[in-house]
Amino acid sequence: MMLDVKTIQTLKAFSMINPSLLFKPGNVIKTISPAKTILAKATVPATFDREFAIYDLIRFLGAYSMFDEAELDFGDRSVRIGSGKEKINYLYADPAVIVVAPDKELAVENPVVEFELTSDLLQRTLKALSMIGAPEVAVTGEDGVVYLEAIDSKNSSCSTYRVEVGHTDKTFRLIMSADKLKLLTCDYNVAITDRFAHLKGQDIEYWIVLEAHSTVG
């Protein structure tokens, strides 16, 4: 089989969450951060016919990119990567040595807030985080308005970024560490509970645990 561009992009994005991955039969891939604070799930065009583990996704993708029109031939202990007479025999990892995403997903019950996050707004927010050096993203409800913010909740003298994304009758500040926002760029439906944020895009979902100093009410 060959890997398409979308599958490769998804695997690269997932490698930023966890450098290792357990592939399962089918076209759904899931990963979880070693600290178990980020869970991601994607449906990709490529369909895998067996379960296998890769310890270093970036190295695996680098091996694949060595060849023009590379083919993957999956065996019991390794996958052969190559084109024509040139091949790499890439060994699988032991699943016991990597952190594997659970089959069960977090149910989104009684969200505190829901809003639409466009691809453009996501990119602008991530750029703002970088420009002002803010370590956190907050979704804040105050005076009837929902704001998406780039902040440093522990430093009131830090520069901030704020954009209105909706309306609410609640008061809250739901905070995520910026380094958890390892997202593929697309439009998302966002629902945030008092424990985690759920971002659902086309063929991609993320569950991100909130920081402990988030507040509701």
Side-chain angles (χ1 to χ4, degrees):
M1 68 173 289
M2 300 178 69
L3 296 179
D4 57 277
V5 172
K6 184 175 180 180
T7 299
I8 291 173
Q9 289 176 338
T10 303
L11 292 174
K12 286 181 178 179
F14 278 20
S15 73
M16 297 173 65
I17 297 172
N18 187 334
S20 307
L21 185 68
L22 178 67
F23 292 79
K24 294 189 176 183
N27 67 337
V28 175
I29 56 175
K30 297 176 70 174
T31 191
I32 190 168
S33 64
K36 299 184 179 180
T37 56
I38 312 167
L39 174 66
K41 171 186 174 182
T43 301
V44 296
T47 299
F48 300 93
D49 62 3
R50 66 167 60 229
E51 180 175 304
F52 63 98
I54 296 295
Y55 187 76
D56 190 328
L57 272 177
I58 290 299
R59 183 171 289 178
F60 171 72
L61 293 171
Y64 184 82
S65 69
M66 283 182 57
F67 306 95
D68 294 328
E69 300 183 352
E71 292 278 352
L72 298 174
D73 183 13
F74 296 95
D76 292 334
R77 299 182 62 249
S78 64
V79 53
R80 283 183 295 175
I81 310 169
S83 178
K85 297 180 180 180
E86 187 179 12
K87 299 184 184 302
I88 290 175
N89 193 49
Y90 199 99
L91 293 175
Y92 301 142
D94 181 349
V97 303
I98 66 178
V99 179
V100 177
D103 292 329
K104 186 176 180 180
E105 295 160 8
L106 294 171
V108 182
E109 299 176 345
N110 302 316
V112 176
V113 63
E114 298 180 74
F115 62 94
E116 301 295 317
L117 179 61
T118 66
S119 172
D120 178 66
L121 185 53
L122 171 60
Q123 289 180 305
R124 292 179 65 81
T125 303
L126 294 176
K127 184 176 181 180
L129 282 166
S130 176
M131 293 297 293
I132 66 176
E136 298 166 319
V137 167
V139 177
T140 300
E142 62 181 31
D143 300 326
V145 181
V146 180
Y147 299 99
L148 179 65
E149 303 175 302
I151 65 166
D152 184 342
S153 63
K154 299 177 181 178
N155 182 5
S156 60
S157 64
C158 179
S159 300
T160 61
Y161 165 82
R162 169 180 271 199
V163 58
E164 183 178 332
V165 293
H167 301 279
T168 184
D169 58 359
K170 303 172 185 175
T171 300
F172 52 83
R173 174 165 269 194
L174 307 169
I175 301 171
M176 291 171 278
S177 175
D179 61 13
K180 293 178 184 175
L181 299 179
K182 307 176 188 301
L183 309 175
L184 282 169
T185 302
C186 67
D187 296 339
Y188 290 98
N189 298 314
V190 181
I192 309 180
T193 72
D194 59 355
R195 296 186 300 115
F196 65 89
H198 178 237
L199 295 87
K200 183 176 177 61
Q202 185 176 9
D203 301 326
I204 182 77
E205 292 181 73
Y206 294 91
W207 293 260
I208 301 173
V209 174
L210 301 180
E211 297 302 293
H213 52 287
S214 298
T215 58
V216 178

